[in-house]
Amino acid sequence: MSRKIVQKSELLARVQAARQAGKSIILCHGCFDIVHPGHVRYLEFARRQGDVLVVSLTGDSQIDKGMHRPYIPQELRAENLAALEMVDLVYIVPEPTACQLLAELRPDVYVKGRECEESNDPGFAAERSVVAGYGGRVLFSSGDVVFSSSRLLEVLGRDGELEAQRLAMFCRRYDISRRSSAGLLEGFSGLHVLVIGDVVLDRYVLCDATEVADEAAMLSLSRQEDRLYVGGAGIVARHLAALGARSHLLSAAADDESTRFVRRTLEEEGVQAHLVGCRPRLPEKTRFMVETQKIVRLEDARTHPLDSVREREAVGWVASIIDRIDAVIYCDSGLGTITAGLLNLLAVVLAGRRRIVAAGAEGSRGRLLQFVGADLLCPTERNLRATVHDFERGLSSVAWSVLDQTRARQMLVLMGRKGLVAFDRQSQDPHSPEWNGRLRSEYLPAPTEPSVDVMGGGDAVLATATLTLAAGGTLMQAAYLGSAAAAIESARLGNVPVEAAALKRWLAGRVELTETGVSAAAAQDADGVERMLVSPLPA
């Protein structure tokens, strides 16, 4: 790393030494996602205004220009700036604005681009006030060449090599290595996890597209093979067992051959299930496929809620095993297993001992907002937006709305093939002023793996992330291991549980998981540098 890139303590010391030598200090601050000719002329202009040019850049923690921004991780952006001859010192700012840095550095001149001169942005207004307060000057560059990083990025698209670097940076920042991941996987085996939700049968009808039908302009399919999988809450419980945990499942069921198939499958895979008979038949979703392309999905799933007698029966079973349960996962498809009455009764049983509580909701009938006080929510972006009927605002604002209404602690928003976004509160103490403050977040791109069937990836994330948190891992470790499980799942056809051995093999082949760089990242954090994105509150 260039000696120009410094932590705050070194920055202040070197600026003080320059001042004692009679030199003037210039500060430029910005995102610098892609350093283009406009940036170069702006920095050259700034360098002519004094003796020492300090460039501070907005850390990944503050950029809220869309899911894929910043395009360039903060470490690489800092290296780009340090490579410029006119730049003397580079510092990554972990705060929302440059106000704190300005107050401590007190540069003689603060240089901004011409586009800021008429800006009403409250962040820049606060920065300008700080400079005026200590008697400094704000100067706007000539702005004779105008480029836009955002427009350049629209043209560039997604670069696989850069995505790999983003993954590597992510792992170094959050102490994600083969060693730490192996330690967490070992911890899975001692955990007991209870899954509560709707078991759904997932039927795959594999077909061959033969021709256009004679009677109308429609596709004619030739049925070749049927495959039946235990899905819904069932696959989450199956993932847990395959990953080495002791898995327990509570679900509504029927008294038919389908339910007997579910019982046999769960027993064979080591899931202890309590199936409450209240349905005429199990919910079923049938997907017609040609090769790996789904043509249509047929849903036969009606809501049959538990009545008060069966709610008490279900809670009685939970009470009989609750002392050994380390985590609880709610999987709500809105089909009747999870009722308001059941949640109220379970709240009494679960009170007391600290357990990880995670929740996911599927489809238009799933109710994410009912899981008040959860440790982890794990919705898709579509489900998250549908929950609050908001399809316009930025993702961070929508996430804040749901976390605010549920009083939940953390959230992983699943973006399918794009990856996921992790959201966390600045403080996990509900009595702290920071509890309702800005959300920390981090975008984790999906590992570049061949995808056969994206169905079930969210279930794999929910199961693996919950186990990671219960084993003592962090949200970011949970996000990474959850993404790994989803990548394995998407490379398979149908709802097949991800085994611990498969996850270990996958991790062993990942180039971003190295033992180097972890200590360096920790050393950088020693100076108080925040390592997560911080998303703004809703307007």
Side-chain angles (χ1 to χ4, degrees):
M1 181 180 292
S2 170
R3 290 194 68 251
K4 291 183 179 181
I5 304 172
V6 294
Q7 300 299 311
K8 184 179 287 186
S9 56
E10 184 180 355
L11 173 64
L12 296 177
R14 291 173 68 171
V15 166
Q16 183 180 7
R19 276 211 173 91
Q20 291 174 348
K23 296 181 179 180
S24 58
I25 309 300
I26 311 301
L27 176 67
C28 291
H29 176 76
C31 171
F32 303 104
D33 203 357
I34 292 182
V35 178
H36 51 64
H39 286 138
V40 173
R41 296 198 181 191
Y42 159 61
L43 295 174
E44 287 176 338
F45 172 85
R47 187 64 178 80
R48 293 194 296 269
Q49 310 310 311
D51 302 308
V52 177
L53 175 58
V54 178
V55 180
S56 60
L57 60 98
T58 308
D60 290 353
S61 56
Q62 307 304 327
I63 297 176
D64 189 32
K65 297 184 179 181
M67 186 184 67
H68 298 294
R69 300 291 303 274
Y71 188 73
I72 308 295
Q74 61 187 28
E75 295 87 349
L76 298 183
R77 290 186 283 128
E79 290 180 14
N80 290 341
L81 292 168
L84 298 176
E85 184 178 359
M86 80 285 288
V87 176
D88 295 300
L89 295 169
V90 178
Y91 172 64
I92 300 172
V93 174
E95 291 85 26
T97 68
C99 289
Q100 184 173 333
L101 178 63
L102 287 165
E104 296 181 64
L105 201 66
R106 299 169 69 89
D108 298 280
V109 182
Y110 182 40
V111 181
K112 295 292 288 184
R114 177 66 66 186
E115 70 278 2
C116 294
E117 191 168 13
E118 303 297 329
S119 174
N120 294 320
D121 177 68
F124 175 60
E127 293 171 351
R128 196 168 190 170
S129 177
V130 171
V131 176
Y134 68 75
R137 294 186 295 131
V138 176
L139 184 63
F140 299 97
S141 68
S142 60
D144 55 345
V145 177
V146 178
F147 286 80
S148 166
S149 293
S150 297
R151 289 186 180 180
L152 289 172
L153 290 171
E154 289 175 2
V155 178
L156 285 176
R158 184 171 176 175
D159 183 271
E161 183 177 348
L162 185 57
E163 291 294 290
Q165 291 190 51
R166 288 172 67 117
L167 272 174
M169 296 286 187
F170 180 94
C171 291
R172 285 202 295 271
R173 287 182 194 173
Y174 300 112
D175 190 18
I176 301 171
S177 63
R178 290 190 180 90
R179 185 183 299 113
S180 64
S181 298
L184 290 168
L185 292 182
E186 288 298 321
F188 290 0
S189 60
L191 298 173
H192 287 256
V193 184
L194 169 62
V195 181
I196 303 172
D198 304 300
V199 170
V200 177
L201 286 176
D202 287 311
R203 185 183 300 275
Y204 278 47
V205 180
L206 308 185
C207 305
D208 184 27
T210 55
E211 58 187 6
V212 176
D214 293 334
E215 67 270 25
M218 60 182 178
L219 186 64
S220 177
L221 302 178
S222 173
R223 190 171 192 148
Q224 295 183 325
E225 180 184 353
D226 281 23
R227 296 183 184 180
L228 194 61
Y229 303 95
V230 178
I235 184 58
V236 175
R238 295 169 66 204
H239 281 308
L240 294 169
L243 290 169
R246 303 293 182 87
S247 180
H248 309 265
L249 172 66
L250 171 64
S251 182
D255 183 14
D256 58 6
E257 182 54 39
S258 293
T259 299
R260 287 187 280 276
F261 166 75
V262 169
R263 288 186 185 277
R264 289 194 302 270
T265 301
L266 296 176
E267 288 175 3
E268 291 171 359
E269 296 180 2
V271 178
Q272 180 185 355
H274 184 78
L275 304 180
V276 181
C278 69
R279 299 185 188 279
R281 62 179 182 274
L282 284 180
E284 184 170 325
K285 296 178 182 179
T286 302
R287 295 165 177 84
F288 293 86
M289 299 188 64
V290 175
E291 296 181 350
T292 59
Q293 180 65 45
K294 297 184 181 71
I295 304 301
V296 67
R297 188 180 85 171
L298 177 65
E299 184 171 316
D300 182 8
R302 297 179 182 177
T303 300
H304 292 279
L306 297 179
D307 59 36
S308 58
V309 173
R310 289 180 172 86
E311 287 174 351
R312 289 194 295 271
E313 173 194 334
V315 172
W317 178 75
V318 172
S320 70
I321 64 171
I322 196 61
D323 287 340
R324 59 180 185 268
I325 296 299
D326 300 290
V328 177
I329 301 177
Y330 291 103
C331 303
D332 185 29
S333 301
L335 298 175
T337 297
I338 298 177
T339 62
L342 181 67
L343 287 175
N344 290 335
L345 293 171
L346 287 172
V348 177
V349 175
L350 296 175
R353 180 182 167 191
R354 178 70 181 134
R355 300 174 181 85
I356 296 296
V357 177
E362 181 184 352
S364 59
R365 287 181 282 194
R367 295 157 296 176
L368 194 66
L369 294 180
Q370 67 185 328
F371 301 113
V372 177
D375 296 287
L376 178 68
L377 298 179
C378 200
T380 64
E381 181 185 11
R382 179 177 299 174
N383 178 259
L384 179 71
R385 291 185 177 279
T387 296
V388 290
H389 308 288
D390 190 337
F391 299 90
E392 301 297 329
R393 287 187 300 165
L395 181 60
S396 59
S397 296
V398 178
W400 187 92
S401 294
V402 172
L403 287 177
D404 181 55
Q405 293 182 57
T406 59
R407 310 294 290 171
R409 296 176 180 275
Q410 299 171 324
M411 180 186 293
L412 297 179
V413 181
L414 312 179
M415 318 292 294
R417 290 186 175 91
K418 296 178 182 178
L420 61 80
V421 183
F423 291 95
D424 196 7
R425 296 182 184 273
Q426 293 192 57
S427 170
Q428 292 300 331
D429 179 6
H431 303 292
S432 169
E434 294 182 331
W435 169 266
N436 286 321
R438 296 171 180 269
L439 290 180
R440 298 172 175 175
S441 69
E442 183 77 80
Y443 167 59
L444 178 62
T448 52
E449 296 290 332
S451 178
V452 175
D453 182 9
V454 296
M455 190 198 77
D459 298 319
V461 172
L462 178 58
T464 310
T466 302
L467 283 176
T468 304
L469 294 178
T474 66
L475 177 64
M476 296 308 161
Q477 290 171 326
Y480 181 81
L481 291 177
S483 293
I488 296 171
E489 180 70 11
S490 66
R492 302 170 172 181
L493 181 63
N495 257 334
V496 181
V498 175
E499 313 89 345
L503 186 53
K504 290 177 181 177
R505 287 194 300 270
W506 190 92
L507 294 171
R510 299 304 299 178
V511 296
E512 68 266 16
L513 293 181
T514 62
E515 304 307 323
T516 60
V518 174
S519 59
Q524 291 177 355
D525 284 345
D527 201 41
V529 176
E530 178 57 69
R531 287 299 177 184
M532 303 174 96
L533 297 171
V534 181
S535 306
L537 294 174

